[in-house]
Amino acid sequence: MASPDLLSLAGQRALVTGAATGIGKGIVEALAKAGADVALNYRSHGEEAEKLARTVEAMGGKAVALQADVSKEAEVISLFDAAERDLGPIDIVVSNAGLQRDAKIADMTLEDWNTVIEVNLTGSFLIGREAIRRFRGKGMGQSRSLGKLVFNSSVHQRIPWAFHANYAASKGGLKLLMESLAQEVAPERIRVNAIGPGAIATAINAAEREGDGEKEMLKLIPYGRIGEPEDIGRCVAWLVSDAADYVVGQTIFIDGAMTLYPEFRGNG
Ligand code: NAD
């Protein structure tokens, strides 16, 4: 008998939030390439989401674009209902939607704070909670685990980030949300993990990369290049596959070594 392809996601269904742009798009493309059907959530990029859904279909999979705000409880529940109606039971959930509202602490408004916490942290809670509820109601499917849940965190769950206190706090909170959920549901064969991207070229940091920005960023990246959404997509496709079946409760930093304190390297 041929050995199973542990990297294959054939016969599995994924839901990705904030899927129309940037890293989410890279994740959708990688999951589809590995054989998964994909529900693409978007809040405000309907056209891009529909276009990406057609790309997934052209690759041979099923896809559906679904609008929802991940920070709204009722919308998250309806999102899962719609994804299951269109694709069937969901095996893989990637909570990717996120945003920044940067400000010096003395200038940071309560709205800047609340907006970031509501989307990055509360949104992750709502998506994670609903994912676990739905995993519990389904059969084992094609995978060795009942369900796979991945949160898109950041290197800033570990590295403090001046002038971005709301964002760093949201990702720091996400670290322990992920680890606590992983500990709680691992006995049910549900795998919860996170990824921690470094500097990835997307809209979220387009302004920071302008002018000398990219040169400044590269000083923090020993590996010498800014990351691309595909770098993240490939890692997530592996993380949710059976090839990573024993990886539980971990944050995989995908960051060109940004988390290795590059300023301590010196010049030898
Ligand atoms: P992006 O702005 O292209 O993607 C974020 C997506 O989330 C957008 O499509 C946006 O519309 C969506 N979104 C925002 N609020 C939403 C809501 N309430 N409901 C549903 N969708 C919502 O930027 P990106 O870099 O691709 O960011 C994706 C994730 O990656 C974020 O969680 C971000 O914090 C994380 N991240 C990015 C980097 C980076 O360097 N780009 C580094 C570390 C972590």
Side-chain angles (χ1 to χ4, degrees), residues 21 23 43 45 69-70 96 152-153 167 171 197-198 200 202 205:
T21 64
I23 293 174
R43 184 177 60 172
H45 296 86
D69 179 337
V70 298
N96 164 75
N152 191 353
S153 181
Y167 184 82
K171 299 296 187 176
I200 312 300
T202 71
N205 53 25

Side-chain angles (χ1 to χ4, degrees), residues 17-25 41-45 68-72 75 95-101 115 118-120 123-124 152-156 167 170-171 174 195-205 209 217 226-227 229 232 254:
T17 68
T21 64
I23 293 174
K25 182 168 182 247
N41 156 255
Y42 67 93
R43 184 177 60 172
S44 54
H45 296 86
D69 179 337
V70 298
S71 68
K72 303 274 189 303
E75 292 189 31
S95 175
N96 164 75
L99 44 71
Q100 290 179 211
R101 292 284 181 275
T115 302
E118 279 166 16
V119 175
N120 296 8
S124 297
N152 191 353
S153 181
S154 164
V155 290
H156 296 295
Y167 184 82
S170 74
K171 299 296 187 176
L174 183 51
I195 50 160
I200 312 300
T202 71
I204 213 171
N205 53 25
R209 283 184 285 114
M217 265 184 194
I226 306 284
I232 309 299
I254 313 158

Side-chain angles (χ1 to χ4, degrees), residues 8-167:
S8 171
L9 301 177
Q12 298 190 51
R13 298 110 174 171
L15 168 64
V16 181
T17 68
T21 64
I23 293 174
K25 182 168 182 247
I27 292 171
V28 167
E29 287 169 346
L31 296 180
K33 202 169 165 198
D37 296 334
V38 191
L40 297 80
N41 156 255
Y42 67 93
R43 184 177 60 172
S44 54
H45 296 86
E47 237 172 77
E48 289 97 322
E50 290 294 346
K51 198 169 154 213
L52 185 57
R54 304 294 83 78
T55 306
V56 171
E57 286 170 348
M59 292 163 80
K62 279 193 206 160
V64 59
L66 301 167
Q67 186 173 27
D69 179 337
V70 298
S71 68
K72 303 274 189 303
E73 185 173 30
E75 292 189 31
V76 167
I77 292 168
S78 304
L79 170 66
F80 276 80
D81 286 342
E84 287 182 342
R85 180 198 62 217
D86 292 338
L87 299 182
I90 303 296
D91 309 281
I92 297 162
V93 173
V94 183
S95 175
N96 164 75
L99 44 71
Q100 290 179 211
R101 292 284 181 275
D102 309 329
K104 293 177 182 168
I105 191 62
D107 301 329
M108 189 175 284
T109 64
L110 182 58
E111 195 192 348
D112 292 333
W113 173 267
N114 283 341
T115 302
V116 171
I117 297 297
E118 279 166 16
V119 175
N120 296 8
L121 189 54
T122 307
S124 297
F125 156 68
L126 291 170
I127 291 290
R129 183 185 67 175
E130 203 55 30
I132 288 164
R133 286 174 173 167
R134 307 287 170 136
F135 291 156
R136 283 178 174 157
K138 68 185 261 302
M140 281 302 278
Q142 302 290 316
S143 171
R144 292 183 183 185
S145 43
L146 184 60
K148 282 83 55 131
L149 169 62
V150 176
F151 293 107
N152 191 353
S153 181
S154 164
V155 290
H156 296 295
Q157 74 169 40
R158 178 184 286 179
I159 305 173
W161 206 12
F163 316 118
H164 303 75
N166 48 359
Y167 184 82

